[in-house]
Amino acid sequence: MDMAIKTFNLTKKYGTKIGCAEICLRVPRGQIFGFLGPNGAGKSTLVKMLVGLLFPTSGKALLLDRPLGDTGVRARIGFLPENFRYHDWLTGQQLLEFHASLYGLSGTEKKRRVGEVLELVGLAGRERQKIHTYSKGMRQRAGLACALLPDPDLLFLDEPTSALDPIGRRDVREILVSLRASGKTIFLNSHLLSEVELICDAVAFIRQGKIIRQGSLEDLQTGDITVEMKVGNLTREMVNTLSSLARSLEVRENVLMARVKREEDIPRLAEAVVTGGGDLFEMNRKRSTLEEMFIRTTGGGEEIC
């Protein structure tokens, strides 16, 4: 598979402190890739290295098959940082024209792209307003518009929906999905795991500066099976039996959440309830959510590269 991003033991140290260590990532072209981890895990450090704002201490990386720092590749990359600040005294139009000039766009090309991205992010008709009059959501849209100006092949987004309301988040999701459909690659940092789960093809988890797990969402979610059961006449003996059959068991009054390893374990849970004298009112297999996976993964596990 053709890769948009490949890193080889990429490491950044700040004196004796490690920002991230021996990062090995593979991001296929034409995908939305989620990069997940707790605060301070090293997510921003890695992104800053990839976009050229930080120099790695060691290791190397290829973006669109070119090494870090390649000027030709930089022209094909868009970047929206998390805590961006733009010139409040400019209008939205002036801001985009300024950034278009920084990207080397001029004349009719600049005019065309500015108009296209204003329409795309939903700011058409607001471009003559000063930035300081924009709401947080509008500023977020303006930042996304700036990142999209060069029509990038590779787009780095750090918390792109953090300031948006549900409608705004839906709009951004639709934009990102349309960009993927056109062959773009999107590298997405986000704490909104429900958003990541809706649109990402693959994810990587980082903890304490190291990648601990990565892969497609489909593959990562084919691990343990969570089964929710609503049970009447629940007894301590029945709970003990179910605990012996499950990898973990959580009991909330008459609702039980059991994690099992195999499909064959599911009917055994039902049999244990019935033979134990319980009433099985409901039983549902639940897919492991990204939030559950995030908590399990970043809370422990072996570091891998």
Side-chain angles (χ1 to χ4, degrees):
M1 187 177 292
D2 194 11
M3 298 293 164
I5 301 172
K6 291 189 286 189
T7 70
F8 306 88
N9 296 316
L10 203 61
T11 299
K12 179 62 181 180
K13 296 181 180 179
Y14 303 97
T16 58
K17 182 181 177 181
I18 295 177
C20 54
E22 299 179 347
I23 299 295
C24 300
L25 273 183
R26 300 293 183 271
V27 179
R29 293 193 191 225
Q31 287 195 359
I32 302 177
F33 188 91
F35 193 49
L36 312 175
N39 290 331
K43 300 189 301 295
S44 293
T45 294
L46 177 64
V47 170
K48 287 177 181 178
M49 282 194 290
L50 294 177
V51 300
L53 296 177
L54 287 175
F55 290 104
T57 304
S58 61
K60 63 179 183 178
L62 297 175
L63 303 183
L64 305 175
D65 297 322
R66 302 298 301 167
L68 289 181
D70 183 275
T71 55
V73 164
R74 286 189 178 184
R76 299 164 60 194
I77 290 175
F79 175 44
L80 174 63
E82 179 180 7
N83 297 313
F84 60 86
R85 288 291 302 273
Y86 291 134
H87 312 82
D88 284 347
W89 61 90
L90 296 178
T91 66
Q93 179 87 23
Q94 290 169 334
L95 174 70
L96 289 174
E97 288 176 346
F98 172 63
H99 278 261
S101 297
L102 294 177
Y103 280 118
L105 305 180
S106 60
T108 57
E109 185 183 17
K110 178 197 291 188
K111 183 177 180 180
R112 177 182 61 82
R113 278 306 290 166
V114 168
E116 287 176 349
V117 297
L118 281 169
E119 190 69 36
L120 184 61
V121 302
L123 285 180
R126 306 286 188 91
E127 65 270 21
R128 299 192 182 279
Q129 293 179 223
K130 300 277 190 180
I131 297 297
H132 73 82
T133 69
Y134 280 9
S135 66
K136 287 183 179 180
M138 290 173 66
R139 290 177 186 231
Q140 196 80 10
R141 291 170 185 266
L144 181 58
C146 288
L148 292 172
L149 275 170
D151 193 18
D153 294 315
L154 176 58
L155 185 62
F156 290 92
L157 302 177
D158 200 347
E159 300 292 346
T161 60
S162 59
L164 299 175
D165 60 20
I167 294 175
R169 289 199 295 271
R170 181 201 61 193
D171 292 344
V172 170
R173 284 199 307 268
E174 290 176 354
I175 291 170
L176 300 186
V177 169
S178 68
L179 291 171
R180 175 178 59 189
S182 66
K184 312 296 186 184
T185 306
I186 300 161
F187 191 93
L188 176 65
N189 281 356
S190 179
H191 284 111
L192 296 174
L193 300 182
S194 59
E195 298 287 309
V196 172
E197 195 165 20
L198 283 172
I199 63 173
C200 283
D201 301 287
V203 297
F205 296 92
I206 184 171
R207 186 188 73 220
Q208 297 178 351
K210 291 190 175 183
I211 300 295
I212 54 175
R213 198 176 184 189
Q214 63 179 302
S216 71
L217 272 178
E218 183 179 355
D219 289 343
L220 292 176
Q221 291 178 320
T222 55
D224 288 354
I225 302 165
T226 300
V227 180
E228 181 182 46
M229 298 182 291
K230 187 175 181 181
V231 178
N233 297 324
L234 188 64
T235 65
R236 172 55 57 186
E237 183 180 359
M238 194 188 308
V239 170
N240 291 336
T241 302
L242 291 169
S243 295
S244 68
L245 295 172
R247 291 170 65 88
S248 67
L249 182 71
E250 183 179 346
V251 182
R252 304 172 189 166
E253 296 182 355
N254 66 332
V255 176
L256 289 76
M257 302 292 290
R259 281 178 55 210
V260 296
K261 189 172 183 179
R262 301 167 301 175
E263 294 272 357
E264 306 90 84
D265 295 324
I266 298 176
R268 294 188 183 123
L269 295 174
E271 182 182 5
V273 172
V274 174
T275 58
D279 297 317
L280 184 58
F281 295 111
E282 192 174 332
M283 189 173 192
N284 297 302
R285 172 178 173 163
K286 297 176 68 68
R287 187 180 185 186
S288 179
T289 67
L290 189 59
E291 180 178 3
E292 293 167 340
M293 195 188 310
F294 179 92
I295 293 170
R296 290 201 306 268
T297 303
T298 59
E302 296 182 359
E303 294 162 347
I304 60 173
C305 187

